[in-house]
C-alpha cells in the first residue's frame, strides 16, 4: 500500500487549481494515491509521503495561504520531500520567468526551514474578467504592465505533464516507505533547492 501524496494549492482566479488538478491526474496515472485540496482545507500532513504545493504570484508576492501553510506544518514539512510549482508569467516577456523565480525565491526564503526539492516556475493565465477584489481595482487604477493586456494563457501543458511525471518518479520509492519518521532534516538540507523555469528541463 503506497502512502498518499498531497497536492495543495492556492488560487485567486482558478488557473493554479487547474494545474494542480493536472498534476494530481498525472501522479494518479503513475499509480500514486493523491489527495488534492486547497491549502486552507488541509488539517494534517501525517498520512502523506510527499507534498506538492501550487501557488500563483501576485504583485511580487506569494499568497498568505502558502506562508501560513509552511508555518503551520513546519515540522512535518522538514520530514517530507516537497515540491513547489509557481504560476506567474502572463505577458510573454522573456525576462518574466527569471523575475518570477527571483520573486518566488525571495518569498520562500521567509521560511528558511522549508527546503523544497524544486521550485518550478510555470507560465500563468491572465483573465481580467476573473480578477477578484482588490486585484480588479489595482489593475484599473494603478498604471501597470497589466493595463490594457488582453486575456493570456501561458500555461504549457506539455511541460506541466513532463514535470509531474518526473516528480512521480522521485516520489514512487518514497511512497512505499513507512511515512514517519522519513527524513532527518539534515538529509533534506544536503543540496540547494533547484529553481527551474518552464524553459528548462529537469
Ligand atoms: C494584478 C496581478 C498581479 C500579478 N503579479 C505578478 C507578479 O508580480 N509576478 C508574476 O510572475 N506574475 C504575476 N501575475 C500573474 C499571475 O501569477 C497569474 O495570472 C496566475 O496564473 C494567477 O493564478 P490564479 O488563477 O491561480 O490566481 C499577476 C497577475 C495579476 C492579475
Amino acid at each position: 500500500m503506497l502512502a498518499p501524496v498531497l497536492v495543495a494549492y492556492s488560487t485567486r482566479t482558478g488557473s493554479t487549481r487547474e494545474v494542480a488538478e493536472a498534476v494530481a491526474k498525472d501522479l494518479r496515472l503513475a499509480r500514486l494515491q493523491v489527495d488534492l485540496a486547497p491549502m486552507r482545507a488541509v488539517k494534517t500532513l501525517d498520512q502523506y509521503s510527499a507534498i506538492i504545493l501550487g501557488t500563483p504570484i501576485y504583485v511580487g508576492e506569494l499568497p498568505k495561504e502558502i506562508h501560513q501553510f509552511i508555518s503551520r506544518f513546519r515540522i512535518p514539512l522538514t520530514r517530507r520531500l516537497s515540491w513547489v510549482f509557481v504560476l506567474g508569467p502572463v505577458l510573454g516577456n522573456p525576462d518574466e520567468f527569471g523575475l518570477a523565480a527571483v520573486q518566488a525565491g525571495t518569498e520562500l526564503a521567509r521560511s528558511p526551514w522549508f527546503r523544497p526539492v524544486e521550485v518550478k516556475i510555470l507560465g500563468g493565465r491572465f483573465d481580467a474578467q476573473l480578477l477578484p477584489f482588490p486585484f480588479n481595482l489595482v489593475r484599473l487604477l494603478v498604471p501597470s504592465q497589466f493595463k490594457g493586456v488582453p486575456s493570456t494563457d501561458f500555461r504549457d501543458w506539455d511541460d506541466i505533464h513532463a514535470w509531474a511525471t518526473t516528480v512521480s518518479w522521485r516520489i514512487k520509492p518514497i511512497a512505499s516507505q513507512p511515512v514517519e519518521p522519513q527524513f532527518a532534516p539534515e538529509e533534506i538540507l544536503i543540496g540547494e533547492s533547484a529553481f527551474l523555469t518552464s524553459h528548462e528541463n529537469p
Side-chain angles (χ1 to χ4, degrees):
M1 178 74 178
L2 295 182
V5 179
L6 174 67
V7 180
Y9 60 87
S10 165
T11 188
R12 297 278 179 277
T13 68
S15 60
T16 310
R17 187 190 61 244
E18 289 170 4
V19 174
E21 287 166 355
V23 168
K25 193 171 170 192
D26 287 334
L27 297 182
R28 287 181 186 126
L29 282 173
R31 297 176 185 275
L32 288 165
Q33 197 187 321
V34 182
D35 285 348
L36 173 71
M39 285 178 200
R40 280 193 185 145
V42 177
K43 301 275 184 274
T44 173
L45 299 187
D46 286 353
Q47 67 271 42
Y48 296 113
S49 57
I51 314 295
I52 301 176
L53 298 179
T55 176
I57 308 177
Y58 278 98
V59 202
E61 295 183 356
L62 301 183
K64 71 171 186 294
E65 291 101 300
I66 186 167
H67 291 297
Q68 288 171 343
F69 187 98
I70 292 168
S71 295
R72 242 181 342 133
F73 297 117
R74 178 178 179 148
I75 291 172
L77 281 172
T78 61
R79 294 185 175 150
R80 284 160 181 78
L81 291 189
S82 54
W83 283 258
V84 178
F85 65 85
V86 179
L87 268 71
V90 287
L91 299 172
N93 170 348
D95 298 339
E96 271 184 292
F97 279 85
L99 177 62
V102 171
Q103 291 173 329
T106 306
E107 283 284 284
L108 290 173
R110 286 167 52 182
S111 308
W113 64 88
F114 179 57
R115 301 293 299 271
V117 175
E118 184 188 320
V119 178
K120 173 80 170 168
I121 307 295
L122 298 168
R125 181 190 68 191
F126 173 72
D127 186 338
Q129 305 297 322
L130 296 175
L131 277 181
F133 177 83
F135 300 107
N136 49 359
L137 283 189
V138 169
R139 181 175 170 270
L140 287 176
L141 302 176
V142 180
S144 79
Q145 51 192 351
F146 291 102
K147 225 168 180 173
V149 170
S151 295
T152 58
D153 192 343
F154 281 93
R155 292 172 297 175
D156 178 339
W157 294 103
D158 289 342
D159 187 45
I160 291 164
H161 293 310
W163 182 74
T165 303
T166 306
V167 172
S168 77
W169 295 337
R170 287 292 308 277
I171 293 177
K172 265 223 156 136
I174 303 166
S176 51
Q177 303 289 316
V179 170
E180 188 134 19
Q182 257 181 25
F183 301 98
E186 60 272 18
E187 288 179 77
I188 288 180
L189 297 177
I190 291 169
E192 289 298 314
S193 299
F195 273 78
L196 292 179
T197 73
S198 71
H199 294 319
E200 297 165 326
N201 288 320

